[in-house]
Amino acid sequence: MLGGLFGKKKGRSVPDKAARLSPAITSSIMATVGSRGIPPMPSAAQKAFRLSVDPRAEARDFIDIIESDEALSARVIKIANSVYYERGKKSETIEESVLVIGINELRNLLSATTLTEIFPSSHPARSQLWANDIATAIAAKIIARKVLPSKEEAAFLAGLMHDIGKLMLLQRAGPDYQRIIDLVQSKGCDFCEAEEEVFPFNHTEVGQLIGEKWSFTEELIDAIRNHHRPWSATASGGPIRLPELVKAADLAAHALGLGHPRGFGRFKNSAIAALEEAWTQLQIAEPQRRGLAQEIQRTYDLEYDLYSN
């Protein structure tokens, strides 16, 4: 677990902390996102995120927060009665639904349900970005199960949150962000490279600023800020951490084309090429790579509707 989404944790090693943004980058981001700046995290989202990362949370805690939100209550009951959880008996109450779904899955559902309401936009690319968030979260959880089991739930949340900077930029600077999407589509380059052709910053820096504003843990901010960091920037032979795991999960999602609209073939091919190095860096042997990719694809196909709007 992350040990709590909010608040700074003492005793972290230096590599777990993202470097502070320069005043110039911060000013540029704030000028781009507009006079409203970065809003406070919605209170409902705070409650849901706190619960989703609390290892001491019990079923009653989940029931209380779900029952306080009519839309969330309806969604949880609907999910409990979906084909995914088919058990031959219809769930009619929140209590029954929580028992059917299970606490670990509820953590993921609460995180996903909350994030989908953050920085909403009518831009058609919003669904594309959200699909990648879901795919990366699922891939991160599966990869973590293989190489970093103690971080399985943290990996899901970090994967889900890794591109929060994109969501804000799309909401606040939609026309400029469309230019970025067009560059990615035509050149096959990654989003950071395209963003830096349009802005003097990229989405990982925006994500870091949001994470600091909303008091995310240093570990989560590190994953958001550094999931595009070159492999050469990691300690050779050092322990695998969330940024590396999320980087690999993001590449796997793109290499599989999960959530991609038409026209992203060059971008997908770039991800396929880069994924081989990711598997090597995570010390995943070649015979296991195909099976891992198939598991990510299969799980995404099965679970996407659980996390989608």
Side-chain angles (χ1 to χ4, degrees), residues 64-220:
D64 288 343
I65 195 169
I66 293 167
E67 286 182 336
S68 69
D69 186 312
E70 185 176 345
L72 182 57
S73 296
R75 177 166 171 73
V76 167
I77 291 175
K78 180 181 178 181
I79 288 171
N81 289 319
S82 67
V83 174
Y84 185 83
Y85 290 104
E86 177 61 44
R87 60 170 189 159
K89 181 183 177 182
K90 186 176 181 180
S91 296
E92 297 182 350
T93 67
I94 298 300
E95 288 88 345
E96 291 173 346
S97 300
V98 167
L99 289 174
V100 168
I101 296 172
I103 289 179
N104 286 340
E105 188 59 40
L106 276 170
R107 295 183 196 279
N108 296 340
L109 287 170
L110 279 177
S111 297
T113 300
T114 302
L115 180 57
T116 194
E117 300 299 330
I118 291 175
F119 304 126
S121 171
S122 60
H123 194 290
R126 181 58 166 77
S127 60
Q128 173 188 344
L129 298 183
W130 177 237
N132 175 251
D133 288 338
I134 294 174
T136 302
I138 289 171
K141 185 175 181 179
I142 290 171
I143 295 170
R145 196 177 298 149
K146 179 72 177 175
V147 302
L148 199 63
S150 65
K151 294 293 184 179
E152 188 174 326
E153 292 176 13
F156 183 93
L157 180 59
L160 200 66
M161 301 294 286
H162 79 293
D163 278 348
I164 192 171
K166 288 183 183 178
L167 299 182
M168 185 172 188
L169 286 172
L170 186 68
Q171 183 197 63
R172 301 293 181 82
D176 284 333
Y177 213 78
Q178 183 59 55
R179 290 172 56 200
I180 290 163
I181 293 169
D182 293 342
L183 284 170
V184 172
Q185 187 172 358
S186 62
K187 292 184 173 183
C189 61
D190 72 23
F191 274 85
C192 286
E193 181 181 341
E195 287 160 352
E196 288 169 2
E197 288 193 31
V198 177
F199 302 124
F201 52 80
N202 63 54
H203 71 274
T204 71
E205 292 161 325
V206 178
Q208 177 176 348
L209 201 59
I210 295 169
E212 290 171 351
K213 170 76 172 181
W214 289 355
S215 298
F216 288 174
T217 57
E218 290 170 1
E219 185 178 35
L220 181 53

